[in-house]
Amino acid sequence: MGDDAGDNARTLEIDLGEEFEMDLGTLDPHAYDRIFVYVPLPSFGSTQSYRDICGDLLDASWAIERMAAYAKRVRTENRPGDYRCIRAVLIGPRPGIFDAIADCALLLGELEDFTDDAELEKLQNLREQVYDYEDNLETLVPRAPEIIDGYFANLHEANSELRSEAPDAWSSQMERFPERRLGFHRSGFSGILGASCYASRSGWLVPVAIGPDRFFVETDQKYRLDDFLPADFVIVNGQSFVHHEGLLVRFPSRRYFESQVCAGLVTQDDEYAARWSSDPFSALRSPAAQETTPAGLSTSDGLEGMSMLAEGCYLHETGTLAFVNDGYFLHFLYDIRPAQLQMAKALREASAQMAEELSTATGAAAFLEYDWTSLDDEAFEELCYQLIFDNPKFNSETIRKLGKSKSRDGGRDIIIHEATIGPWVEPKKWIFQCKLVTNGSSLGATRLTDVGDMLEQYGAQGFGVITSAQMDATLYDKLDTICTKRQVDQYHLSVLELERALGRNRRVRQKFFPAS
């Protein structure tokens, strides 16, 4: 029988957070195709201490790895909206798995439930195994790396507590793992990827030999290298940007500098020796045609085609992710956002050399034109739905279009959650409003009402407007005020960005504008 036998699969469910009467020693692993084990996280939602949360995640990680050693495959998931437990799906259980589950039940049970001296002695032995497990987290090749990364993400927060409460322990940890000063940790995915990779809340540091696509696939991200554009880097008035043919986004220079410092901390003096005499910031440029293999990467090291990946900065066509190839590492930077119209104009005025590209970004030059009068409100909302569905920033499985156009949807046309970039970042909920304008006027602040109340009512962490008109300054100012006050991210598509998105998406373009 295959790994996933569908409705015919023979399954068993065990909740380690509840008492169960079954005698695990009498069960035959060959009698089941899948075993669902619920691993409790009792501190989640009931403590203000990140150290307690780390303790839960450490125990959970040890337990899942202990059980996964006796299964063909394992995957982990949370119940929708419930982060107080992890469901481990053990596929193809093998002999020994029920002994492992019994050990996990003992470790995760309430201490007052055990009065037998033999049980207490075994519990102490298991606790020692967890301590050893924690000491070796950096060298493990885990079956469920996402749990380990979740532990490390919370450890960064816990370290602020540790620094004040146990400064010697904090100093010892930072001396051993200096990258943690910068909020980076060696990811649990390193074993799967085949080299040490480092993750933070807003980025990844990955050896160039791994390649972008392998990194995206193994970490379950929707991005692909084919959808990235070579991007130029520019600093104007102390603010950094990358751009490609009118697609203009803010560049997180601080995050990139931290990633470069991390790269220096985690490489030995004799590793990538040439890197120490090179300028790591020379990669902040548009990739040039390159026929030779980048430094530090042999043809046999990378994936097919990777040897031709030029050094430089790359920007995803949606403007939601950038990465820099410095010849040794790929620096993935998620903390980016589109520049507003006013800033694009300032950039155009500050640099005559880039006037043509920045004119496209600010609307001084036309990019693509479409007959918006051929659509009604319902068709326009469907077009917006399709573009958001295809955007890899978002998890297309969570998208919802609310009602018909002009229905009582509370100001919400489309709701969607972000795609996950790692278990340490909870996906944000986004609300989009779609505004079809066909009379040539701009979209002003008076056309959007009660935005703040709507964001609060529905608990949104992101908000966007998609419109077939230009958005004027009064609307941008209004949305900045509302969203900044509520710490809500923004991602808007005015007619300029919307037409560029259609130009990149042939499927949607031909569906709604078949003559284009």
Side-chain angles (χ1 to χ4, degrees):
M1 189 172 292
D3 291 346
D4 294 293
D7 294 337
N8 295 322
R10 300 166 299 170
T11 63
L12 173 68
E13 290 197 0
I14 298 175
D15 190 341
L16 298 182
E18 304 288 342
E19 293 186 21
F20 54 90
E21 302 297 331
M22 69 180 69
D23 184 356
L24 295 176
T26 65
L27 299 180
D28 178 8
H30 298 299
Y32 304 99
D33 301 304
R34 293 184 302 217
I35 301 176
F36 297 89
V37 180
Y38 295 88
V39 181
L41 301 171
S43 295
F44 277 61
S46 63
T47 182
Q48 299 295 320
S49 172
Y50 282 101
R51 295 174 71 179
D52 291 342
I53 293 173
C54 286
D56 281 0
L57 288 169
L58 181 65
D59 287 350
S61 178
W62 179 89
I64 291 170
E65 297 300 325
R66 174 86 170 89
M67 295 183 290
Y70 298 95
K72 185 177 180 180
R73 284 197 302 119
V74 63
R75 69 172 186 267
T76 64
E77 54 198 26
N78 291 102
R79 290 168 171 161
D82 185 3
Y83 293 90
R84 293 172 297 176
C85 79
I86 299 169
R87 185 169 83 159
V89 184
L90 302 160
I91 301 168
R94 296 167 176 162
I97 194 168
F98 289 114
D99 289 338
I101 293 174
D103 285 348
C104 297
L106 181 62
L107 177 74
L108 300 172
E110 297 291 339
L111 184 60
E112 56 268 23
D113 294 341
F114 306 113
T115 57
D116 182 82
D117 288 343
E119 280 190 327
L120 290 172
E121 182 178 352
K122 186 173 183 180
L123 177 60
Q124 181 61 35
N125 178 265
L126 293 176
R127 182 55 59 190
E128 292 294 334
Q129 291 183 40
V130 175
Y131 294 150
D132 291 340
Y133 179 78
E134 181 179 21
D135 288 340
N136 293 287
L137 279 180
E138 293 275 336
T139 60
L140 294 174
V141 181
R143 304 281 295 277
E146 62 278 5
I147 308 302
I148 288 180
D149 276 1
Y151 162 80
F152 278 125
N154 284 279
L155 180 64
H156 295 311
E157 303 295 336
N159 276 333
S160 60
E161 304 172 20
L162 186 67
R163 188 173 189 175
S164 60
E165 297 174 8
D168 290 342
W170 180 87
S171 297
S172 176
Q173 182 190 160
M174 295 303 129
E175 182 177 357
R176 185 180 176 191
F177 306 107
E179 68 276 9
R180 295 184 187 175
R181 290 178 179 268
L182 300 164
F184 279 86
H185 62 269
R186 184 180 183 275
S187 171
F189 286 91
S190 297
I192 295 174
L193 290 166
S196 291
C197 301
Y198 296 83
S200 72
R201 284 189 174 271
S202 58
W204 283 79
L205 177 68
V206 177
V208 71
I210 290 174
D213 279 341
R214 183 181 175 193
F215 164 69
F216 292 140
V217 170
E218 296 293 358
T219 55
D220 197 26
Q221 300 184 55
K222 293 167 60 179
Y223 294 100
R224 293 297 181 268
L225 179 60
D226 284 347
D227 300 323
F228 281 82
L229 308 166
D232 280 304
F233 175 84
V234 63
I235 298 178
V236 176
N237 296 330
Q239 298 187 72
S240 303
F241 301 87
V242 289
H243 63 94
H244 176 94
E245 294 185 356
L247 179 60
L248 179 72
V249 303
R250 292 266 182 104
F251 181 81
S253 294
R254 176 182 173 183
R255 302 302 185 195
Y256 177 65
F257 296 162
E258 289 173 345
S259 188
Q260 282 287 352
V261 173
C262 180
L265 291 173
V266 301
T267 53
Q268 301 298 319
D269 291 342
D270 58 348
E271 186 177 6
Y272 302 131
R275 181 180 184 276
W276 297 97
S277 59
S278 65
D279 178 6
F281 303 111
S282 65
L284 292 176
R285 53 178 169 77
S286 180
Q290 183 169 312
E291 297 181 358
T292 58
T293 301
L297 174 65
S298 68
T299 303
S300 60
D301 285 335
L303 295 177
E304 182 179 354
M306 263 303 298
S307 61
M308 298 305 293
L309 182 65
E311 296 179 23
C313 187
Y314 295 81
L315 177 63
H316 194 266
E317 62 184 16
T318 60
T320 55
L321 173 63
F323 76 86
V324 179
N325 171 18
D326 67 9
Y328 304 93
F329 290 96
L330 304 175
H331 304 261
F332 291 94
L333 305 164
Y334 295 84
D335 188 17
I336 67 173
R337 55 194 175 98
Q340 293 185 0
L341 182 65
Q342 296 93 321
M343 181 56 67
K345 288 181 177 178
L347 286 171
R348 178 167 60 89
E349 294 170 359
S351 178
Q353 182 179 357
M354 297 187 298
E356 182 177 353
E357 290 187 14
L358 293 175
S359 292
T360 303
T362 59
F367 187 77
L368 289 172
E369 293 184 359
Y370 297 90
D371 181 12
W372 295 106
T373 62
S374 66
L375 303 181
D376 59 17
D377 290 333
E378 187 65 30
F380 183 71
E381 287 187 12
E382 177 63 22
L383 180 150
C384 298
Y385 176 97
Q386 294 294 335
L387 289 176
I388 296 172
F389 183 92
D390 289 347
N391 191 322
K393 177 181 176 68
F394 302 105
N395 181 355
S396 55
E397 295 181 357
T398 66
I399 192 168
R400 285 187 292 154
K401 181 176 178 293
L402 300 179
K404 297 290 185 180
S405 175
K406 301 185 183 299
S407 66
R408 295 182 178 274
D409 53 23
R412 306 163 297 156
D413 293 325
I414 298 170
I415 293 179
I416 194 169
H417 286 74
E418 290 180 351
T420 57
I421 64 170
W424 56 91
V425 180
E426 184 174 349
K428 294 180 179 179
K429 177 183 179 181
W430 283 74
I431 292 176
F432 286 91
Q433 287 191 358
C434 309
K435 299 293 182 182
L436 176 65
V437 179
T438 58
N439 61 5
S441 64
S442 62
L443 187 69
T446 58
R447 295 287 299 274
L448 270 74
T449 59
D450 301 323
V451 174
D453 292 340
M454 178 267 294
L455 294 175
E456 292 179 359
Q457 180 180 354
Y458 298 109
Q461 296 95 38
F463 177 68
V465 175
I466 306 177
T467 179
S468 59
Q470 293 210 38
M471 296 169 59
D472 68 22
T474 63
L475 179 55
Y476 278 118
D477 291 343
K478 175 180 180 177
L479 295 179
D480 276 345
T481 299
I482 292 172
C483 293
T484 300
K485 178 180 178 181
R486 294 165 175 81
Q487 295 183 318
V488 172
D489 291 349
Q490 301 180 67
Y491 182 60
H492 307 298
L493 296 178
S494 71
V495 64
L496 302 174
E497 296 83 17
L498 184 57
E499 290 183 346
R500 282 199 298 272
L502 284 170
R504 296 189 301 267
N505 195 319
R506 181 179 180 183
R507 178 184 69 83
V508 177
R509 183 176 71 249
Q510 292 190 343
K511 177 178 180 180
F512 293 92
F513 300 99
S516 63

